Amino acid sequence: MTNPPAPFLWLPQQDDGFEALTLIVDTPKGTHIRHIPPALPLPAHIDHGPGAEEATHMAAATWGMPDFVFQQAAHATKGSGRRELGDRLLLAGHRGAVVQVKARTITPKSAAQEIAWIQKVAAKAMSQAKGTVRQLRMLPAHMVNGRGRTLRVDGNAFEWIAVFLLDHPRIPQNAIATWQPLGIPAIALTRRDWDFLFDQLRSTTAVLDYLFRAAAEPVVPLGDEPVRYYELAAADADAAPEKIDTELVGAGGTLFSAPQLPQAPAGSDGTNVHRVLRIMLEDIALTPLGESLTELNRFTVLSDLDRLPVSARAEWGHLLLDMLRDVPGVPEGHCKWRFRRLLDADRTHQLIVGAATRFDRTIQVAFTAYVQLRHHEVTTRTGRTEESSTLGVLLTPRPGGGRPWDTSTVRVQGNLGIPPEDLKIYSDVWNRAFEGGDVVDHDPAEGPPAPTAV
C-alpha cells in the first residue's frame, strides 16, 4: 500500500498575530479545501486565563455534549487544605482527558524566550494532569458537568490522557512542547486545534479516540494538529476494511466500513441530517430520571449512543427520518416497526435504533423484549457476554405538533439471566418468518412483530 499524499498547507500570518489555516487535501472524490479559522474569541467579561478555560469548555460543550465536559472540582486533602483536580475533564465511555489550559497573558517576547516559556508551562501542565489522575484513582471525586449535574468520578474506571492546551497569540514557528514521561498518554494542542477537532467531528467520543490515537504518533509542532488529522484521515481512506463476521448479528448481516476519521467535516453535506443524533442525545440528556436511575446511568447511555461512527451519522439520520415518515402509515390499531442495528468492530457494543407507529405500555414491553433477545443472541455467538452491552433507542412520532418524535431507551449489559420460557416467547414472537423485508405492519394484539433489519 502506498502512502497517501500529505495535504498541502498554507499558513497565512495576520497582522494581529492570530493565524488562520487553509488545507488543500487530495481525496478520492477530488480536491477538498478546509479552512480552519482561529480559535473562538474569548469571553469579554472574563480575564484572559479563566476566559481561555471557559472558551475551551464552551467549544467542547457546543460541538460535543455538555454532559461530557466537567468543571474543576475541589478535593479534600490533609487538614483543611483543598486540591484542584485539573482545569477541565473530558469524559465519555471509559476514556477521560485531563485538560490543562495555559494562556500567554502578556505580550510575547522573542521566539527563543517564548519557546522556553512554552516548555516550562507544558511541563507544569503535564505534571498537574498526572497529579489529577493519581488523585482521582486514590479517592473518587464528585464532578459537575456542563448541565450542572454531579457525577462521581472514580479514576480507576477510565483510561486517561493528559492534554496541554495552549492559548497563545503568536506561537513561534515549529515550536514543539516536550515533557517527561507521565505513565499515561499525553498530547499538546493549541486552542485552535481543539476547536478544529470538535467542529470537525461533532462527537466527544470521536475527539477522545483521536487524542489517544494522535498521542501515540510522533510529536508535531504546536498548531499543526489539523495537518496531522488529515494525514491520518487520508491513511484511513486508503486502508482496507477490517473483516468482521456478519453472521454474529444473524442471517442477512451487512458489513459497513467507513474511515475512522472523516475528511469532510460532520454535517458538511448541507442537509443537517447529522443533527438527528444530536437531537436524540439531547432528548436523553433532558429527560427526567426515574426513581431507580442515576446520573451515571444517563452518562452511560449517552456515551453508548455517542459511539456511533461520525462517518455513519448522516446516513443514519436520513434513515431514521425515513422511518419516522413511514411508520404512521398503517390502519388504526396496527403498528409498524423498523429497525437498524450496529455491532461495533470490538464485538462488545451493540446499538439498536428503531421507530414504531406509537408509544404505549405494549410497545415499551415489546421493544424491551426485542433488545433483550438481540443482546442474548449476539452475546451467545460472540462468547463475550460479561463485557457486552446493548443500547436500544426507539423513536415514535409525536402527534399534535411541537416535538417531531419521542425518544425512549433500553440498555442491557452482561448475562441477563432470561428464563428459558421467556426467551422462547421472545424468539417465537420476534423471529417469526414474514414477508416484506425490514418493515412489519402488525396488529399488536397478536404480539410484537419480527423485523429482520440489521
Side-chain angles (χ1 to χ4, degrees), residues 363-373 410 412 426:
I363 300 301
Q364 181 183 25
V365 170
F367 183 59
T368 300
Y370 179 79
V371 172
Q372 292 179 334
L373 175 65
V410 174
V412 294
Y426 298 169

Side-chain angles (χ1 to χ4, degrees), residues 435-446:
E435 301 294 334
D438 66 346
V439 229
V440 175
D441 178 5
H442 177 73
D443 184 344
E446 300 174 2

Side-chain angles (χ1 to χ4, degrees), residues 194-210:
W194 178 264
D195 289 2
F196 159 75
L197 290 174
F198 272 97
D199 186 25
Q200 177 79 15
L201 296 170
R202 305 292 177 100
S203 162
T204 305
T205 300
V207 170
L208 278 169
D209 289 345
Y210 175 83

Side-chain angles (χ1 to χ4, degrees), residues 143-329:
M143 313 295 290
V144 180
N145 69 16
R147 294 190 198 272
R149 296 167 179 163
T150 301
L151 185 72
R152 182 178 181 272
V153 178
D154 182 351
N156 300 294
F158 294 89
E159 178 186 9
W160 292 98
I161 186 171
V163 181
F164 162 49
L165 201 61
L166 178 63
D167 182 86
H168 196 292
R170 191 169 63 250
I171 299 173
Q173 189 173 8
N174 295 323
I176 293 176
T178 59
W179 51 87
Q180 294 297 318
L182 305 179
I184 59 174
I187 189 171
L189 305 171
T190 66
R191 207 162 57 80
R192 184 190 67 191
D193 298 336
W194 178 264
D195 289 2
F196 159 75
L197 290 174
F198 272 97
D199 186 25
Q200 177 79 15
L201 296 170
R202 305 292 177 100
S203 162
T204 305
T205 300
V207 170
L208 278 169
D209 289 345
Y210 175 83
L211 293 176
F212 275 85
R213 179 179 178 182
E217 299 285 329
V219 176
V220 300
L222 288 163
D224 279 8
E225 202 59 51
V227 180
R228 171 158 61 184
Y229 175 95
Y230 274 103
E231 290 174 344
L232 294 176
D236 284 359
D238 199 46
E242 181 181 349
K243 293 183 179 179
I244 184 173
D245 181 7
T246 58
E247 294 298 311
L248 291 174
V249 294
T254 302
L255 178 62
F256 173 84
S257 180
Q260 181 180 354
L261 299 177
Q263 293 178 321
S268 61
D269 62 357
T271 64
N272 278 331
V273 291
H274 74 287
R275 296 184 60 202
V276 171
L277 188 76
R278 177 60 184 254
I279 295 171
M280 293 163 60
L281 287 164
E282 290 287 341
D283 285 348
I284 296 167
L286 297 176
T287 298
L289 294 175
E291 292 183 0
S292 62
L293 299 178
T294 67
E295 285 301 330
L296 179 59
N297 297 134
R298 190 201 304 270
F299 172 81
T300 302
V301 169
L302 290 171
S303 296
D304 283 358
L305 185 54
D306 198 47
R307 288 174 61 93
L308 182 66
V310 175
S311 299
R313 295 187 178 193
E315 191 268 336
W316 278 57
H318 279 294
L319 177 64
L320 290 169
L321 292 177
D322 178 70
M323 288 181 177
L324 285 165
R325 287 189 293 265
D326 181 46
V327 292

Side-chain angles (χ1 to χ4, degrees), residues 19-251:
E19 297 174 345
L21 183 69
T22 298
L23 296 177
I24 303 176
V25 187
D26 290 329
T27 74
K29 297 182 179 180
T31 300
H32 174 70
I33 298 177
R34 179 73 163 96
H35 177 68
I36 299 155
L40 294 176
L42 300 181
H45 62 289
I46 304 177
D47 290 342
H48 190 161
E53 296 175 13
E54 183 64 22
T56 297
H57 178 106
M58 289 304 300
T62 302
W63 287 318
M65 285 285 290
D67 309 81
F68 298 138
V69 189
F70 290 79
Q71 299 272 8
Q72 293 179 347
H75 192 88
T77 56
K78 293 181 180 179
S80 60
R82 302 182 72 85
R83 172 184 172 84
E84 281 191 349
L85 296 182
D87 292 333
R88 306 283 164 167
L89 296 185
L90 198 66
L91 302 174
H94 293 291
R95 279 184 158 173
V98 179
V99 184
Q100 289 284 341
V101 183
K102 303 298 181 183
R104 191 55 156 158
T105 58
I106 66 172
T107 302
K109 301 179 181 179
S110 68
Q113 288 174 304
E114 291 307 299
I115 290 175
W117 180 84
I118 290 171
Q119 296 296 349
K120 178 181 177 180
V121 296
K124 179 180 179 180
M126 292 308 188
S127 176
Q128 290 173 330
K130 180 180 179 180
T132 294
V133 173
R134 181 174 61 248
Q135 189 76 4
L136 285 170
R137 285 174 172 168
M138 289 191 300
L139 192 60
H142 288 88
M143 313 295 290
V144 180
N145 69 16
R147 294 190 198 272
R149 296 167 179 163
T150 301
L151 185 72
R152 182 178 181 272
V153 178
D154 182 351
N156 300 294
F158 294 89
E159 178 186 9
W160 292 98
I161 186 171
V163 181
F164 162 49
L165 201 61
L166 178 63
D167 182 86
H168 196 292
R170 191 169 63 250
I171 299 173
Q173 189 173 8
N174 295 323
I176 293 176
T178 59
W179 51 87
Q180 294 297 318
L182 305 179
I184 59 174
I187 189 171
L189 305 171
T190 66
R191 207 162 57 80
R192 184 190 67 191
D193 298 336
W194 178 264
D195 289 2
F196 159 75
L197 290 174
F198 272 97
D199 186 25
Q200 177 79 15
L201 296 170
R202 305 292 177 100
S203 162
T204 305
T205 300
V207 170
L208 278 169
D209 289 345
Y210 175 83
L211 293 176
F212 275 85
R213 179 179 178 182
E217 299 285 329
V219 176
V220 300
L222 288 163
D224 279 8
E225 202 59 51
V227 180
R228 171 158 61 184
Y229 175 95
Y230 274 103
E231 290 174 344
L232 294 176
D236 284 359
D238 199 46
E242 181 181 349
K243 293 183 179 179
I244 184 173
D245 181 7
T246 58
E247 294 298 311
L248 291 174
V249 294

